Amino acid sequence: MDISDRVDGAHTTPSPCGRYLAYVQDTRLRVSTLSAPERHSNEFNIKKLPKEILSIIWSHDSNRLATVSHTLIEVLNVSDASSRVRLDNGGGGLGHFSSAVFLDTDHLLTIWEFGRGRIWNLTTGRSTEIGEVKTTCSGSSYCMRPNPSRHPSNILATLFRVAAEDVLSIHFVEQSKSMPKATLPSADAQDLSWSPDGRWLAVLDTPTASVNVLFYTPDGHFYRSYTDTSCVDDRGLGIKAIVWSYDCRKVALARYDGGVVLLNTKSFTILASIAHNTAIEHSALEPPHQAPIWREHVSATNERTYSLATHPVSPPLSRSKASTEPSELGVAEMSFSCSGEYLATRDERMQSTVWIWSTQTLSTHAIIIQHANIRSVQWHPTHPELLLLDCGESILYILEVTSSSPPLPITVPIPGTPALTWLNTTIIQPLTILAATKSASRLLFPSGRPTNASPSNNQPSPIPGAETPFDEDTSEDSIMDLLSGRPARSRRSEQSYTERIDSEENAAEETVRLDDTFRAKRRPLEVSAEVDPLDDSQIF
């Protein structure tokens, strides 16, 4: 495994494309490539100190990024340092900025602390008022329709609260127009989410409502509801969270009683019900159908090993007594692999245990019992068989679910307890993990750093620029072989590094001639023609 040098900076945020890192040092926002994070390639002066910044956000195409603070939002163009937009909160008549999100490259949604929402056109400088966004949700009160290649129109769905009623609004971002608002039959909507293919819109109601989940078509028409009649929780709580599979064939509903319900996305009927039992007993099943249970052991020298447990097994409980807080009941976390073939879940009662379910066979695939409570479970964005476990001990665990091997522990050499995150690398790029604390970060390359990223190089990769692709023939080898250091298979001959760079530069030049988004199309900012007399915020 290769490890980058320590990068001192706050709010380290990777780009959606998986090529760049952005972080703040003093009053400078720096951007570096993942192949050489120790050497920043671009640097921008900003007005706010790291302690004043709430977050750094990227546009979906990784061309713009913004720093968000309570009083100022600065939007920068990664490829054009002279292009800069500042949204000043003025006298703060609407309260502080609470959040901001890119709807696309040229449109930014800002939300004030009291719910007022506004969409800014970063090219023309105009803005559109969208009303009072609901601020009492436990989940998200707004979301963009995904899959823009299939659905060219940028559509924003938003929840409002008007006269004690939930209202759904469908807004066309580029046209600055909205469809007629629809009043929802919900008691107190808590979350709004699109299916990954953009065909369905789900509204999650308060867990005490009789009807828990509402499904709508993209134009805001009601299609079907789901009522959780099988809930056995004596508190009367229903659905806690909703997660869509990436193949858009299933949707998982997490319940407060510790169960999970799988629905198909054609008729939204039940496929299977999952229960997290405090005693795991598969002895009655045939050996091929018994899920392996891996238990971690820690020696006096802090050496981590795993053993296969025999049935029955009782995972350790997280608490000595039952909790009465709704946030500490039921399913703690659940997520689908990028192929939708596997579902990983955790129960609040047994936070050191992760269950892995097969959505193809609708059965338990494997169970992992860690020594410490698990902080997060993450599937790789493009490798459907790789799962990362973070227990908050500066040790990352990588599990290849298609193999018969236990998780592989890897020590993270950074002080504190860094948060571990997969970066969005493709199948042919090397695996990359971001380990970040509040003031520093490092990149981990379990299968080796890209070949052109040697620390001895004097020049960092340009931004934007093409990274050297990882040898695609390594995908034929087991990923766990690469992580554990076992020898890989021989690779066939291919183009030299110089030949690849030449061909990539030629392709890039042709692309720029066809569509130069940030130079040929950039227009000077205009003063907004739509001015709210109560709004003293400014864009300049």
Side-chain angles (χ1 to χ4, degrees):
M1 184 182 73
D2 199 356
I3 304 173
S4 71
D5 293 340
R6 175 187 169 117
V7 177
D8 293 321
H11 304 287
T12 304
T13 307
S15 64
C17 68
R19 289 189 174 187
Y20 315 122
L21 283 180
Y23 54 93
V24 178
Q25 286 184 347
D26 297 327
T27 56
R28 291 181 176 85
L29 176 66
R30 292 179 172 175
V31 181
S32 62
T33 60
L34 276 105
S35 59
E38 306 89 346
R39 301 182 301 276
H40 62 272
S41 297
N42 279 18
E43 184 177 280
F44 307 88
N45 291 323
I46 56 177
K47 290 191 172 183
K48 297 295 182 180
L49 295 172
K51 64 180 181 180
E52 301 175 285
I53 294 176
L54 301 176
S55 62
I56 297 175
I57 57 174
W58 286 86
S59 62
H60 300 296
D61 59 2
S62 303
N63 286 325
R64 290 184 190 259
L65 73 164
T67 58
V68 182
S69 65
H70 284 311
T71 58
L72 179 68
I73 299 175
E74 295 187 75
V75 184
L76 308 168
N77 192 322
V78 177
S79 59
D80 186 359
S82 63
S83 176
R84 183 188 296 260
V85 176
R86 290 191 177 99
L87 300 175
D88 192 288
N89 200 29
L94 300 177
H96 294 153
F97 286 122
S98 63
S99 62
V101 61
F102 280 99
L103 304 181
D104 56 30
T105 302
D106 298 323
H107 293 88
L108 183 75
L109 171 65
T110 57
I111 305 293
W112 280 265
E113 61 179 328
F114 301 120
R116 179 70 67 88
R118 184 181 291 273
I119 298 176
W120 302 87
N121 188 317
L122 302 176
T123 303
T124 65
R126 298 181 181 273
S127 65
T128 303
E129 182 76 38
I130 64 172
E132 301 289 342
V133 180
K134 190 171 184 178
T135 58
T136 57
C137 295
S138 59
S140 176
S141 59
Y142 56 87
C143 55
M144 283 291 293
R145 188 181 188 184
N147 204 351
S149 60
R150 184 175 179 179
H151 311 292
S153 299
N154 292 329
I155 298 177
L156 173 69
T158 312
L159 285 176
F160 299 95
R161 189 73 174 175
V162 180
E165 291 184 322
D166 292 320
V167 176
L168 175 64
S169 173
I170 304 296
H171 185 81
F172 296 90
V173 176
E174 295 178 347
Q175 290 79 16
S176 299
K177 296 180 180 179
S178 299
M179 296 180 63
K181 294 180 172 60
T183 301
L184 303 179
S186 56
D188 186 10
Q190 295 297 307
D191 188 30
L192 186 67
S193 62
W194 287 97
S195 61
D197 57 1
R199 296 179 59 187
W200 301 106
L201 185 63
V203 178
L204 177 63
D205 203 355
T206 182
T208 56
S210 58
V211 178
N212 297 120
V213 185
L214 306 169
F215 296 100
Y216 288 82
T217 58
D219 56 358
H221 285 82
F222 174 73
Y223 175 71
R224 186 162 294 182
S225 63
Y226 172 79
T227 302
D228 189 15
T229 58
S230 60
C231 181
V232 296
D233 193 327
D234 56 1
R235 300 172 181 86
L237 301 178
I239 302 300
K240 182 177 183 179
I242 177 172
V243 174
W244 298 86
S245 67
Y246 293 99
D247 60 0
C248 304
R249 296 182 179 180
K250 303 173 185 68
V251 58
L253 307 178
R255 304 193 319 198
Y256 278 93
D257 66 346
V260 176
V261 179
L262 284 181
L263 307 179
N264 69 64
T265 55
K266 291 184 178 180
S267 59
F268 294 103
T269 55
I270 296 179
L271 288 175
S273 295
I274 296 173
H276 298 97
N277 298 319
T278 54
I280 304 171
E281 174 60 87
H282 293 172
S283 300
L285 300 177
E286 295 294 330
H289 300 289
Q290 294 182 10
I293 302 177
W294 292 103
R295 186 189 291 271
E296 183 188 20
H297 303 279
V298 180
S299 66
T301 58
N302 203 30
E303 182 181 358
R304 313 265 168 163
T305 58
Y306 284 87
S307 66
L308 278 173
T310 57
H311 298 270
V313 177
S314 295
L317 298 179
S318 304
R319 300 179 181 89
S320 58
K321 61 180 180 178
S323 174
T324 58
E325 293 294 330
S327 60
E328 299 178 355
L329 299 174
V331 179
E333 184 178 7
M334 63 179 181
S335 59
F336 283 97
S337 62
C338 63
S339 64
E341 186 176 353
Y342 299 101
L343 173 67
T345 61
R346 286 194 302 122
D347 190 284
E348 288 283 2
R349 298 168 297 172
M350 300 164 281
Q351 294 191 22
S352 63
T353 304
V354 57
W355 277 262
I356 302 172
W357 313 88
S358 171
T359 61
Q360 306 297 319
T361 62
L362 300 179
S363 61
T364 310
H365 180 78
I367 299 173
I368 311 297
I369 302 177
Q370 293 292 112
H371 180 264
N373 287 348
I374 300 172
R375 183 164 62 177
S376 67
V377 177
Q378 302 175 44
W379 293 97
H380 193 279
T382 56
H383 291 271
E385 72 282 4
L386 288 185
L387 184 66
L388 184 149
L389 306 180
D390 181 8
C391 297
E393 297 180 313
S394 296
I395 298 176
L396 66 90
Y397 298 85
I398 299 178
L399 173 67
E400 186 178 7
V401 296
T402 55
S403 72
S404 57
S405 302
L408 177 67
I410 301 176
T411 302
V412 180
I414 185 172
T417 56
L420 305 174
T421 308
W422 284 117
L423 297 190
N424 187 21
T425 53
T426 63
I427 296 295
I428 62 175
Q429 290 177 312
L431 301 175
T432 309
I433 298 171
L434 172 65
T437 62
K438 292 183 178 180
S439 59
S441 64
R442 275 189 169 184
L443 290 183
L444 312 177
F445 304 93
S447 56
R449 194 189 282 230
T451 55
N452 67 325
S454 173
S456 61
N457 293 341
N458 294 324
Q459 296 298 327
S461 301
I463 297 180
E467 303 291 337
T468 301
F470 193 68
D471 188 354
E472 63 180 357
D473 281 349
T474 58
S475 61
E476 298 177 359
D477 301 317
S478 169
I479 294 178
M480 296 307 290
D481 288 346
L482 298 175
L483 299 180
S484 58
R486 290 191 288 267
R489 304 173 188 175
S490 60
R491 304 181 177 91
R492 58 177 173 81
S493 60
E494 58 179 5
Q495 283 184 317
S496 67
Y497 171 74
T498 305
E499 291 172 341
R500 289 199 305 270
I501 293 300
D502 291 340
S503 61
E504 290 171 0
E505 288 181 351
N506 293 334
E509 291 177 358
E510 294 176 1
T511 303
V512 170
R513 294 192 190 101
L514 292 175
D515 185 9
D516 188 1
T517 305
F518 297 106
R519 293 194 177 93
K521 294 184 179 181
R522 185 164 58 85
R523 300 187 296 273
L525 296 176
E526 301 173 1
V527 179
S528 173
E530 304 176 17
V531 179
D532 188 338
L534 298 179
D535 183 11
D536 57 354
S537 61
Q538 306 171 19
I539 180 172
F540 57 91

